[in-house]
């Protein structure tokens, strides 16, 4: 078995995840059927009947359900390996690494694996903690609620009748992008002004030209509800919420995060930043009452590792509060 996993790092570097679901949009099926009936040229096979199309759709759905069963079965097998207390540490690290590779965009991780990764944030092993930080950051991205976007017209917002043409592109400050620039004398100071303020997060938009279709986030009233109650949360959200509102868990977690990994070589970690960004984005300020005392303590500490830790938390807070309400 050891020779089979002699170089697990190559699996991490070269793994390609195939889509878990085979999905063919109805529009594509309609275009394909139209091509087969135009007669230029005629296909060798006859056009499928309605019954054949329905049977094909059923086979596709069956194949997708089998793929989900195999995917969750593989996760269950790895979880069984990790629950074995006699597993050597090397094989434990390999199993955790393989389990972290099973996070997907098209299917959420089972709750048991979510619990395992969240608890592993306070594992004794530095390697396991690093894998868990990346995994939990991916999990909170998996379970984030989609935010509605609406199209806007830069010309209407600028109230400028001039339209830029490709022959006279000018980079930098222009009359048509004045509305996009920060103006300290015109800040939104009420909830109504906040809702009517147009925020553009892409720093390159409007610098020298505008996209053909510009999308921004819709007002707060049209976005998913913030600060959900426990009854409104999903099972995966509850697992994360319960752990990150537990003072004992947070005390140990911050203690590990503020340790110095390598003497004099510690750097700001994008992984930890992404974790805190996702937590503040998904759960609002629910975790601030537990985290704030630690942040204040770390800020007043002159040690480099403490400053690095609180910088990761604060930067995640700043980026994660993008969808918070005006009052928050």
């Amino acid at each position: 078995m050891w020779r089979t996993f002699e170089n697990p790092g190559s699996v991490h570097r070269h793994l390609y995840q195939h889509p878990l679901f085979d999905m063919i949009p109805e529009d594509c099926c309609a275009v394909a059927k139209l091509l087969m009936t135009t007669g230029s040229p005629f296909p060798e096979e006859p056009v499928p009947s309605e019954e054949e199309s329905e049977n094909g759709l059923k086979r596709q759905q069956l194949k997708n359900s089998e793929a989900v069963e195999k995917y969750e079965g593989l996760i269950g097998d790895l979880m069984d390996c990790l629950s074995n207390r006699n597993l050597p540490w090397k094989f434990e690290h390999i199993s955790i690494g393989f389990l972290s590779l099973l996070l997907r965009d098209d299917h959420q991780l089972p709750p048991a694996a979510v619990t395992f990764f969240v608890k592993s944030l306070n594992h004794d092993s530095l390697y396991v903690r690093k894998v868990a930080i990346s995994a939990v950051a991916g999990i909170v991205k998996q379970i984030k609620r989609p935010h509605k976007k609406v199209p806007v017209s830069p010309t209407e917002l600028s109230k400028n009748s001039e339209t830029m043409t490709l022959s006279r592109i000018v980079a930098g400050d222009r009359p048509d992008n004045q509305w996009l620039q920060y103006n300290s004398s015109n800040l939104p100071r009420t909830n109504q002004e906040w809702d009517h303020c147009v925020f553009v997060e892409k720093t390159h938009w409007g610098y020298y030209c505008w996209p053909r279709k510009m999308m921004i986030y819709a007002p707060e009233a049209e976005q998913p509800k913030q600060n959900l109650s426990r009854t409104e949360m999903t099972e995966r959200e509850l697992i994360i919420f319960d752990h990150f509102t537990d003072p004992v868990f947070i005390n140990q977690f911050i203690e590990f995060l503020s340790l110095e990994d390598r003497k004099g070589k510690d750097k700001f970690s994008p992984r930890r930043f992404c974790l805190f960004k996702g937590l503040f984005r998904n759960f609002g300020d629910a975790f601030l009452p537990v985290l704030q005392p630690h942040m204040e303590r770390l800020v007043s500490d002159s040690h480099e590792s403490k400053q690095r830790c609180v910088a990761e938390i604060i930067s995640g807070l700043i980026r994660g509060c993008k969808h918070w309400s005006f009052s928050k």
Side-chain angles (χ1 to χ4, degrees), residues 29-47:
C29 295
V31 172
K33 187 174 289 187
L34 187 64
L35 285 171
M36 296 182 75
T37 55
T38 56
S40 300
F42 277 110
E44 295 182 1
E45 299 293 332
V47 178

Side-chain angles (χ1 to χ4, degrees), residues 35-181:
L35 285 171
M36 296 182 75
T37 55
T38 56
S40 300
F42 277 110
E44 295 182 1
E45 299 293 332
V47 178
S49 63
E50 291 295 330
E51 184 179 357
E52 288 174 327
S53 298
E54 289 180 6
N55 290 335
L57 184 60
K58 289 179 182 178
R59 288 197 300 271
Q60 183 189 65
Q61 292 171 346
L62 179 62
K63 182 180 177 181
N64 290 342
S65 61
E66 289 176 352
V68 172
E69 288 180 7
K70 291 177 181 178
Y71 169 72
E72 294 184 348
L74 175 59
I75 291 177
D77 292 341
L78 288 171
M79 294 290 293
D80 290 340
C81 291
L82 291 167
S83 63
N84 182 4
R85 293 183 176 276
N86 296 323
L87 190 70
W89 67 269
K90 188 68 176 179
F91 292 105
E92 180 187 17
H93 289 184
I94 291 173
S95 300
I96 292 171
F98 286 165
L99 186 61
S100 69
L101 293 176
L102 294 178
L103 269 78
R104 307 183 58 90
D105 292 331
D106 54 0
H107 192 74
Q108 293 187 358
L109 207 64
V114 175
T115 303
F116 170 79
F117 277 124
V118 174
K119 288 185 175 180
S120 296
L121 291 172
N122 286 345
H123 197 277
D124 292 338
S125 168
L126 175 62
Y127 171 81
V128 174
R129 293 201 302 272
K130 286 184 175 181
V131 173
I133 287 170
S134 298
V136 176
I139 291 168
V140 293
K141 190 172 183 179
Q142 273 187 343
I143 65 177
K144 74 174 183 178
R145 299 169 187 267
H147 286 78
K148 181 181 177 181
K149 288 189 174 183
V150 293
V152 295
S153 171
T155 307
E156 293 179 6
L157 290 170
S158 66
K159 300 177 181 178
N160 182 25
S161 58
E162 292 185 32
T163 55
M164 293 189 61
T165 62
L166 293 176
S167 60
R168 54 186 188 89
I169 288 178
V170 179
D173 298 347
R174 301 185 311 274
D176 65 304
N177 65 16
Q178 285 296 317
W179 64 271
L180 189 59
Q181 300 180 39

Side-chain angles (χ1 to χ4, degrees), residues 133 136-145 147 237 240 244 270-285 287 312-313 315-321 323-324:
I133 287 170
V136 176
I139 291 168
V140 293
K141 190 172 183 179
Q142 273 187 343
I143 65 177
K144 74 174 183 178
R145 299 169 187 267
H147 286 78
E237 288 174 328
I240 297 173
F244 279 88
R271 295 180 181 181
R272 297 172 181 177
F273 156 73
C274 288
L275 170 62
F276 285 108
K277 173 189 172 183
L279 292 173
F280 288 117
R281 177 192 61 223
N282 290 16
F283 297 92
D285 60 350
F287 306 141
E312 292 161 352
I313 300 173
S315 58
L317 170 60
I318 293 171
R319 287 289 301 275
C321 70
H323 296 295
W324 289 13

Side-chain angles (χ1 to χ4, degrees), residues 254-325:
I254 298 298
E255 188 66 30
F256 279 131
L257 287 184
S258 58
L259 291 175
E260 192 175 37
D261 290 351
R262 294 178 299 171
K263 184 72 174 177
K265 295 184 179 181
D266 265 3
K267 294 182 179 180
F268 181 93
S269 171
R271 295 180 181 181
R272 297 172 181 177
F273 156 73
C274 288
L275 170 62
F276 285 108
K277 173 189 172 183
L279 292 173
F280 288 117
R281 177 192 61 223
N282 290 16
F283 297 92
D285 60 350
F287 306 141
L288 268 183
V290 185
L291 286 171
Q292 188 169 344
H294 293 284
M295 294 164 66
E296 293 172 351
R297 174 177 56 83
L298 293 170
V299 164
S300 61
D301 196 313
S302 60
H303 287 86
E304 186 177 346
S305 60
K306 313 292 184 183
Q307 292 290 316
R308 185 259 309 150
C309 176
V310 73
E312 292 161 352
I313 300 173
I314 292 176
S315 58
L317 170 60
I318 293 171
R319 287 289 301 275
C321 70
K322 182 172 69 174
H323 296 295
W324 289 13
S325 64

